[in-house]
Amino acid sequence: MIAEFGFGILVVSLIVTVYSGIAAVYGVLNKSAGLVESARRAQLLTFPLLTLSSIVLIYLLTNNRFEVSFVYEVTSRSMPTYLQVTAWWGGQAGSLLFWSWLLAVFTSAVTLRKWDRDIEFLPWVIVVSAITLAFFLGMIVFFENPFTRFWLVDGNVVPSMFAPSATATVFTPQDGQGLNPLLRHPGMIIHPPMLYLGFVAYVVPFAFAIAALITGRTDDRWTRITRRWSLWAWLFLTLGLVLGGRWAYDVLGWGGYWGWDPVEIAAFMPWLTGTALLHSTMIQEKRGMLKHWNMILVILTYALVVFGTFLTRSGVLSSVHSFANSPIGPFFMGFVTLTLVSSIALLIKRWPELQSENEMKSMLSREALFLLNNLLFMSILVICFWGVIYPLISELFTGQKVTVGPPYYERATGPLFAGLLFLMAVAPLSAWGHSTLQTLGRAIWKSTLAAAVVTIFLTITYTQNIYALVGFFLVALVLFTTGHEFWRGASARQKSQGENFFAALTRLMGRNRRRYGGYIIHISMALMAIGILGIEIFQKETQGTLAEGESLNIANYTVTYRELASWNSPGEGVNYTRSVVDIYENGVYLGQLAPRIDYYYDAEQNMTIPGQRSTFRDDLYILLVDWQPVSSIGATFKIYVNPLVNWLWIGSIVFLFGIIFAAWPEKDPAEVSVRRKSARDNRQASAAD
Amino acid sequence: MKKFLFILTLVLVLSGLFTATTVFAQDGITDDEVNAIAKQLYCPVCENTPLDVCPTEACRQWRELIRLQISQGMTEAEIKQYFVDNYGARVLAEPPRTGLNWLVYILPPLFILAGAFILFRSFREWTKPQIVEAGSSGESDAGEASSPSDTDDYIARFEEEVKKRK
């Protein structure tokens, strides 16, 4: 009964969503404010409806209602309640509902904003979000219904929403299959919601962009309204990626955080366009240029978000056959293609109205360097997209299955990432409008010198690897130039205001949140780059089978196998095999680590939990690969030394700080920008608010 | 017939391998030597998992096969070729550089070059009417301008800005 109720609400939500879209179009074409208002309210209604439907699903999940096939697939009796709740997004059907619920949250929040100055956008924003929501709800209702139940028909178990025949009875399995153990990790509990928050939040800027195209209001208003949305979307997307990396590092047991897997790349691609967008909208706001390009970027980001949602959950890219066999594959591709084509058509129609208000004056101006940054991001995107798609093309045309793996991506993107680091160092020093080699050189020579000194120092003390040294030089250059920017601004303020240095620095940053938040993010990216360089270039590994008391040596470390125990934990449905090893560095005892293998009975799957010792210099990362169950005399260990990888996580914390700093609500951004544009005239007005 | 031939070859190869096991001692081959090769190969059954870290039983057997092959004196290239012959090109980390696969390596650089070319041409176009408003960079935005062209000038403008905002 309760499952039917949940499904019924989904159907109602779909109808309400479709109505809101149609009413909005009809209302705007017939200039009926009443209909548009009705559409807005219908849109608002989707939020409580989908919340209710989600509550029903969570109720089913937490009450072991295994007659519901989704519940059977993702939970089991032995799973703790919090995992049963988060199993909501542990499978395709549930995560599509989660996606839709988030979209309802966001669009409701958007429709509740003050619209007085932008009322012409409202109906079209509703239309775009309604189309998106209707598409996802349609997928759920018709193909991936989380409320489908098992029925017993003539001795066969059949999944179906409603009774397939008059004699059919509901079939309830004893226990569920349980969530994939790999997903029962704190990182995996937060990683998908973060990623999805990022994905879904990008629908909002897209909706405004399309509204701007349709209404012909082609100034930078849409970017100003959605600037904070884009920033939060970017925050969540980045966090989702980083948390996913951390999860892989802790759980997947291959000593790394990123494997250039199509699923990872699917989440990375909207990040690339989103990051490019973040930079190029600034050009539009400051200089009134690149309006076409920003439209293209926001359209691409939206398409990649839908594409990514589809890829991450369906696994259809593994082969042409799984794509063709998946019921939702063709629909998703159809939807992506349709939105892409219609958005681009709209853009072409408005093309002449989106002319630049300014001319590009110098190839070294800030806007020119931002364009170069965009070129690099787009290049990385092309490499990623092609790498993900090519195996399908190969299979389709030649029947040959191929793998496009890390060597391809690393070789192709490495120089581009280096280029991005270089731009990160240089671009903040160039001026809007006009810069010359001379002005840039004067601004950067001290930092370059300092970075060179650091590099020489590293050459002597740490490494002679040329790639690493180039990377470290660029990282140091970013850190020095960015640090110098902070110092220059603060000391100028210190002089003029007579404040002490720290007061000057905090006030300066507080007044230019976006700019200094951006600088903090640049610093965080440089720190992350240290970690990436460390693990990519200097990772060491060894593997061996040891008897108790025997050791393996790697880098300066010695790892000695002490003991191993294996026991069942019936309550959790897990068998633990825990080994204990002593670790020494240059003969000095450091302590013990306990790599283990957890075997989950319900899912019949192993999970490898590494023993980790993390320092700023390197991580010692030990995996228990195998053991002899009977005698426990021999155990096989795989040991990695991952230099500097900790900086990746430190960088992500700095990143979090930087982006929250930048996105922290201050006065209405439109208000501030207006004020900045003509600071003199508006002084009194701005002082008042 | 084809199937029969395949099975026959498989049986021959496997029996060859097993008799070889008894003849050659494998003790000298370390896990690291095996992994060095396994790392470059992809699990033929799992998606996108390198053979050296794949936890499945099948992969463990494949790693033992590599150990055996090393002990028989096969080179790295020969072992890789053996896997390609038996499981297809997908076991390689990158598509082999033949036929259609060249697209993998050619298309992205072409795209990037095209992008760079378009960007460069646009720059040329944009920078042509340079004579107009040469001195207008200052007007862009006093609050955000970070022209380091002249530090004193920057500080002066900064001070002015701070005073305005007080």
Side-chain angles (χ1 to χ4, degrees), chain A residues 622-657:
Chain A
I622 306 175
L623 294 165
L624 175 62
V625 178
D626 202 1
W627 77 100
Q628 267 61 49
V630 187
S631 57
S632 85
I633 40 160
T636 306
F637 293 96
K638 185 160 197 177
I639 307 174
Y640 293 91
V641 173
N642 297 329
L644 303 172
V645 69
N646 228 337
W647 291 96
L648 183 59
W649 318 121
I650 295 168
S652 13
I653 293 165
V654 176
F655 167 84
L656 187 62
F657 174 73

Side-chain angles (χ1 to χ4, degrees), chain A residues 45-251:
Chain A
L45 189 59
T46 58
F47 167 62
L49 282 175
L50 288 174
T51 306
L52 196 58
S53 183
S54 305
I55 289 173
V56 170
L57 185 63
I58 291 170
Y59 171 83
L60 294 169
L61 285 166
T62 50
N63 284 280
N64 300 321
R65 298 287 290 265
F66 301 121
E67 77 269 22
V68 177
S69 68
F70 179 72
V71 176
Y72 169 77
E73 280 159 24
V74 296
T75 66
S76 67
R77 292 185 190 280
S78 57
M79 271 167 55
T81 312
Y82 76 96
L83 279 179
Q84 290 184 325
V85 174
T86 57
W88 180 13
W89 51 79
Q92 169 101 296
S95 56
L96 284 178
L97 177 59
F98 182 60
W99 210 102
S100 310
W101 178 73
L102 284 178
L103 185 58
V105 173
F106 285 169
T107 48
S108 300
V110 166
T111 39
L112 284 174
R113 72 184 289 278
K114 274 190 285 177
W115 283 94
D116 29 336
R117 278 202 284 162
D118 323 290
I119 195 71
E120 71 264 42
F121 284 162
L122 175 67
W124 297 111
V125 169
I126 293 177
V127 170
V128 174
S129 27
I131 290 175
T132 314
L133 187 57
F135 171 72
F136 275 89
L137 287 175
M139 286 291 114
I140 297 171
V141 168
F142 296 110
F143 301 106
E144 292 285 347
N145 178 5
F147 296 107
T148 301
R149 284 167 299 172
F150 291 122
W151 297 84
L152 209 53
V153 187
D154 307 326
N156 296 318
V157 178
V158 183
S160 167
M161 185 62 235
F162 299 105
S165 72
T167 55
T169 51
V170 172
F171 172 76
T172 310
Q174 273 301 303
D175 198 356
Q177 292 178 320
L179 196 61
N180 183 336
L182 294 175
L183 305 183
R184 301 181 199 183
H185 176 273
M188 212 44 188
I189 292 167
I190 351 173
H191 156 71
M194 287 295 155
L195 210 54
Y196 275 22
L197 275 170
F199 275 8
V200 178
Y202 270 121
V203 175
V204 177
F206 173 73
F208 275 91
I210 294 298
L213 282 180
I214 294 177
T215 55
R217 188 171 167 190
T218 48
D219 59 355
D220 61 3
R221 183 69 188 148
W222 74 271
T223 67
R224 289 186 187 280
I225 296 173
T226 58
R227 174 201 288 167
R228 191 150 280 120
W229 279 101
S230 310
L231 215 50
W232 285 110
W234 195 67
L235 160 72
F236 288 121
L237 200 52
T238 315
L239 272 185
L241 285 167
V242 169
L243 282 169
R246 182 73 219 195
W247 167 77
Y249 192 71
D250 286 346
V251 167

Side-chain angles (χ1 to χ4, degrees), chain B residues 2-34:
Chain B
K2 225 175 158 184
K3 202 173 178 187
F4 172 73
L5 270 180
F6 176 75
I7 293 171
L8 187 72
T9 332
L10 196 72
V11 169
L12 283 177
V13 167
L14 282 180
S15 56
L17 288 176
F18 283 116
T19 43
T21 323
T22 49
V23 178
F24 295 96
Q26 298 171 45
D27 291 348
I29 314 300
T30 64
D31 288 352
D32 287 346
E33 287 171 77
V34 174

Side-chain angles (χ1 to χ4, degrees), chain B residues 22-65:
Chain B
T22 49
V23 178
F24 295 96
Q26 298 171 45
D27 291 348
I29 314 300
T30 64
D31 288 352
D32 287 346
E33 287 171 77
V34 174
N35 283 342
I37 296 174
K39 211 183 175 58
Q40 303 169 44
L41 292 169
Y42 273 71
C43 166
V45 283
C46 326
E47 290 300 326
N48 298 297
T49 313
L51 194 53
D52 64 326
V53 291
C54 184
T56 61
E57 187 55 36
C59 284
R60 201 215 307 250
Q61 282 168 8
W62 275 309
R63 284 194 292 268
E64 287 313 307
L65 182 60

Side-chain angles (χ1 to χ4, degrees), chain A residues 289-300:
Chain A
M289 300 163 72
L290 294 189
K291 293 173 184 176
H292 302 117
W293 181 234
N294 287 327
M295 284 289 173
I296 293 174
L297 278 180
V298 80
I299 291 166
L300 263 183

Side-chain angles (χ1 to χ4, degrees), chain A residues 286 360-361 366 386 390 401 403 405-406 408 411 429 442 496-497 508 541-543 626 676 683, chain B residues 31-32 35 39 42 60 90 92-94 101 103-104 126 130 144 146 148-149 158-159 162 164:
Chain A
K286 297 264 180 259
M360 191 70 76
K361 292 201 189 64
R366 176 94 58 103
W386 189 230
Y390 181 74
K401 288 192 102 178
T403 305
Y408 160 82
R411 199 177 42 232
L429 301 178
R442 218 180 292 166
S496 67
Q497 300 291 297
L508 174 80
E541 61 173 273
T542 187
Q543 182 179 317
D626 202 1
R676 278 189 189 161
R683 214 176 335 154
Chain B
D31 288 352
D32 287 346
N35 283 342
K39 211 183 175 58
Y42 273 71
R60 201 215 307 250
R90 59 179 300 201
L92 297 174
E94 284 185 286
N101 291 338
L103 281 181
V104 174
W126 284 327
Q130 207 172 1
E144 289 284 326
S146 64
S149 56
F158 189 86
E159 286 169 356
V162 169
K164 262 185 265 157

